[in-house]
Amino acid sequence: MNQAKCLLSIAFFGAIGGCLRYFIGIAFPFMGTIVVNLLGCFLLGFLTFLWLNFHTVASWLSLGLGTGFVGSFTTFSGFCLDNVKLLLAHQMFTAAGYICLSVVGGWLAAKLGMTVGIYVGQRLQLGKDR
């Protein structure tokens, strides 16, 4: 595996993911972090299970999309900071809901992504077999 190709792929897709996260944060001022994290969970589940089960993908592309795009698109630090802000504002119920929605929603989004990835892969496989 060519390390330079992998690093360039991570940098390229990371720049796109970071910019997209910024624009989603503008579009959804408070909910932006939840939106990107749930979408990221879905995307990583989808891509992982589609590629693992049905397609061979070049490692530079897998690293670029997984580590680069999804890694820069999602934000654990933003999730934590949002919770600290809510706790400092004495919004305990909102903070608890935010944590539950993020964790449970993230798990469900990853599971949905996995399910969709397997479904799409099976459909693509059926198309190849005809």
Side-chain angles (χ1 to χ4, degrees):
M1 159 172 47
N2 185 338
Q3 294 295 337
K5 192 176 198 178
C6 290
L7 288 173
L8 287 173
S9 179
I10 292 168
F12 174 77
F13 286 107
I16 293 170
C19 290
L20 188 56
R21 179 175 79 202
Y22 172 74
F23 289 122
I24 288 175
I26 290 172
F28 303 96
F30 181 71
M31 297 298 289
T33 301
I34 290 177
V35 170
V36 298
N37 285 341
L38 294 179
L39 281 172
C41 288
F42 173 83
L43 283 172
L44 199 55
F46 173 79
L47 293 172
T48 299
F49 280 87
L50 178 66
W51 291 338
L52 282 178
N53 292 307
F54 301 101
H55 298 286
T56 313
V57 176
S59 59
W60 65 267
L61 182 58
S62 178
L63 285 168
L65 289 173
T67 302
F69 179 79
V70 176
S72 67
F73 181 64
T74 58
T75 172
F76 183 72
S77 57
F79 161 75
C80 292
L81 182 60
D82 287 347
N83 280 292
V84 168
K85 289 178 182 177
L86 289 170
L87 293 172
L88 290 174
H90 305 288
Q91 296 181 10
M92 305 304 174
F93 181 75
T94 304
Y98 186 88
I99 291 168
C100 289
L101 177 61
S102 295
V103 173
V104 173
W107 184 87
L108 291 172
K111 176 71 171 138
L112 179 63
M114 177 193 79
T115 302
V116 172
I118 291 170
Y119 175 79
V120 169
Q122 288 172 340
R123 300 290 296 179
L124 292 172
Q125 193 72 28
L126 286 175
K128 286 181 182 178
D129 293 341
R130 291 183 184 187

